Amino acid sequence: MNRKFGLKSVVALMLIASALTCVIVLAVVGTKLGYGTPLFDELKTYLAMRRDIESVYIGEYDSTAVNEAALRATVEALDDRWSYYMTPAEYDEYVNLSNNQYAGIGVVVVEDEETGGIRIRSVYTDSPAERAGLTDGDVIIAVDGADVTDMDYFDAINLIGGPIGQTVDFTVLGSDGATRHVTAEYDIVRTNPVSYKMLDGDVGYIRIANFDGSTGDAFVAAAEALVDDGAQSFVFDVRYNGGGRVSELVKMLDYLLPECEIFVAVDHTGAESVTWSDESSVTLPAVVLVNDYSFSAAEYFAAGLWEYDYAQVVGVQTTGKNRSQITLRLPDGGALHISSGEYLTPNRVSLTEQGGLTPDVELALTEEQDALLYVGKLDTADDDQLQKALEILNPA
């Protein structure tokens, strides 16, 4: 027998369904916010404070800036130097840098002591700067008409950055003493994290700037090119290398070392996850150059090679970092970069607890040498740490 529902019955059923939906949604949201936990009470306090600010504060304020400051302060309160909050713009830049690319014009610059301007030390190949006609040795003395020669250097270089597609006008003093105007357009600039050359004594020198995207493949290509050219030993330079991705580190250690444990990750429960290399290897004597700005994957790279007697280490004590981080996107478009695990060397050494890696030969550069090394202008003959490495590999 068919029954017909009256209008009131239909409306009642719809209201019941809506109520059930609301209950489910509230339950899900409550679960996400940690309802019934201390975290939920803390969130209520924060929301109450923001409502009070909104309703009674007499001045004007930027709501986004207030929220970002709160998020940043929250992570800073963890007292973990490796964890931090990123705004949406900072996250976009982080993604680019992690892939060895950034938005800019593609130059490496230093302060020009003579003019106070910005001297271009090098121009990246196929970069906006190269396309605009900027060359090594040019000195930027004005940006969009603003004289930078009397500015603080860091304020001056901040004027160079801009969003992709925007143009910037430079007043440039060339090496010939002539002044000219150059217009460049900001674009994605791709950088090569690995550089290499053959040194006297058939020593293959490989400089590793970071362990971010494409570094592993670039390192293997550099090593193979040097071996093909007759390299009998290696110098791996990870000074001023702040680390990067585990995947790139593992690729490089796997290439060099025979079958063995090459990476030991430890989660918050203490459980280990071990990565092994395969049987193939490159068996050549090596030295790794480190300094106090070598940390994370850089010092792990040196420690792993040292523990397997593959390489000696020259330089100064490294930073000492054995925490790994993950990056989690947030609803505002920013991200939380937070320590979520630890790693140990193959011999189960915590570089943090040990206070970094102690070189076989502890040798510091002078302040002048170190400053030149940082900007890539320290000549091989004047690099005491590199000369010590060559002495080890090719004893008289």
Side-chain angles (χ1 to χ4, degrees):
M1 178 177 181
N2 295 329
R3 295 183 179 180
K4 294 183 179 180
F5 289 97
L7 178 60
K8 291 183 178 180
S9 298
V10 172
V11 171
L13 287 172
M14 291 176 64
L15 290 174
I16 292 172
S18 297
L20 287 173
T21 301
C22 289
V23 169
I24 293 171
V25 170
L26 289 173
V28 172
V29 172
T31 301
K32 290 286 187 180
L33 295 177
Y35 182 77
T37 67
L39 174 61
F40 188 77
D41 292 333
E42 292 169 4
L43 291 174
K44 287 194 301 181
T45 301
Y46 176 71
L47 290 173
M49 181 179 68
R50 289 297 302 272
R51 283 197 302 268
D52 290 342
I53 291 173
E54 180 71 24
S55 61
V56 305
Y57 180 57
I58 194 172
E60 295 182 356
Y61 70 96
D62 185 331
S63 180
T64 299
V66 170
N67 188 58
E68 289 178 351
L71 293 169
R72 202 179 301 278
T74 299
V75 184
E76 289 175 354
L78 298 176
D79 196 26
D80 176 40
R81 64 181 293 193
W82 313 113
S83 298
Y84 48 87
Y85 162 75
M86 290 178 277
T87 66
E90 290 169 343
Y91 175 72
D92 289 342
E93 183 178 2
Y94 166 81
V95 170
N96 281 331
L97 291 175
S98 295
N99 290 306
N100 277 306
Q101 60 185 29
Y102 67 95
I105 61 170
V107 293
V108 177
V109 298
V110 295
E111 184 175 10
D112 185 65
E113 296 180 358
E114 183 176 345
T115 65
I118 303 169
R119 181 163 57 84
I120 297 175
R121 186 175 65 79
S122 61
V123 177
Y124 289 120
T125 302
D126 194 29
S127 66
E130 183 182 66
R131 292 192 290 270
L134 291 170
T135 60
D136 298 359
D138 282 343
V139 178
I140 298 171
I141 56 177
V143 179
D144 285 332
D147 186 348
V148 300
T149 58
D150 291 327
M151 287 185 185
D152 174 81
Y153 174 67
F154 293 102
D155 289 339
I157 61 176
N158 283 336
L159 294 179
I160 298 179
I164 295 174
Q166 180 176 308
T167 59
V168 57
D169 296 317
F170 298 115
T171 304
V172 178
L173 179 64
S175 56
D176 59 358
T179 300
R180 69 185 193 278
H181 295 279
V182 175
T183 299
E185 181 178 311
Y186 295 116
D187 200 352
I188 289 294
V189 178
R190 290 172 174 80
T191 61
N192 190 343
V194 174
S195 57
Y196 65 96
K197 59 185 175 182
M198 188 73 80
L199 300 178
D200 292 341
D202 294 328
V203 177
Y205 170 86
I206 303 179
R207 165 70 176 158
I208 309 161
N210 58 58
F211 284 78
D212 289 322
S214 77
T215 301
D217 289 338
F219 173 82
V220 171
E224 291 185 342
L226 288 168
V227 170
D228 289 344
D229 287 343
Q232 299 300 307
S233 58
F234 284 121
V235 171
F236 304 128
D237 190 348
V238 294
R239 294 173 294 181
Y240 287 109
N241 182 319
R245 300 178 181 178
V246 170
S247 58
E248 304 304 312
L249 166 67
V250 166
K251 188 177 296 184
M252 295 159 67
L253 290 176
D254 182 27
Y255 172 75
L256 294 173
L257 295 172
E259 186 175 5
C260 60
E261 296 180 347
I262 53 176
F263 191 80
V264 182
V266 183
D267 66 20
H268 67 283
T269 69
E272 287 188 359
S273 176
V274 180
T275 302
W276 286 71
S277 64
D278 58 24
E279 295 180 355
S280 63
S281 63
V282 179
T283 54
L284 292 177
V287 172
V288 185
L289 301 179
V290 299
N291 68 0
D292 48 346
Y293 287 94
S294 302
F295 59 84
S296 188
E299 58 187 337
Y300 192 102
F301 175 77
L305 296 180
W306 179 81
E307 287 186 350
Y308 285 115
D309 294 324
Y310 186 95
Q312 295 188 55
V313 180
V314 172
V316 297
Q317 191 90 2
T318 63
T319 300
K321 175 183 183 289
N322 80 315
R323 286 188 173 182
S324 57
Q325 291 74 40
I326 57 174
T327 303
L328 306 172
R329 293 300 303 275
L330 297 173
D332 71 339
L336 172 64
H337 187 73
I338 189 166
S339 297
S340 59
E342 295 184 332
Y343 47 83
L344 304 174
T345 68
N347 285 349
R348 303 314 191 264
V349 172
S350 164
L351 292 172
T352 298
E353 293 179 4
Q354 184 173 274
L357 178 65
T358 302
D360 296 286
V361 179
E362 294 190 69
L363 177 63
L365 298 177
T366 66
E367 288 187 10
E368 181 180 0
Q369 288 173 324
D370 209 39
L372 291 171
L373 171 67
Y374 181 73
V375 298
K377 293 192 64 180
L378 183 60
D379 290 335
T380 299
D382 298 326
D383 187 338
D384 293 343
Q385 293 169 338
L386 177 53
Q387 289 301 315
K388 174 56 70 173
L390 296 177
E391 181 184 317
I392 291 171
L393 293 171
N394 292 307

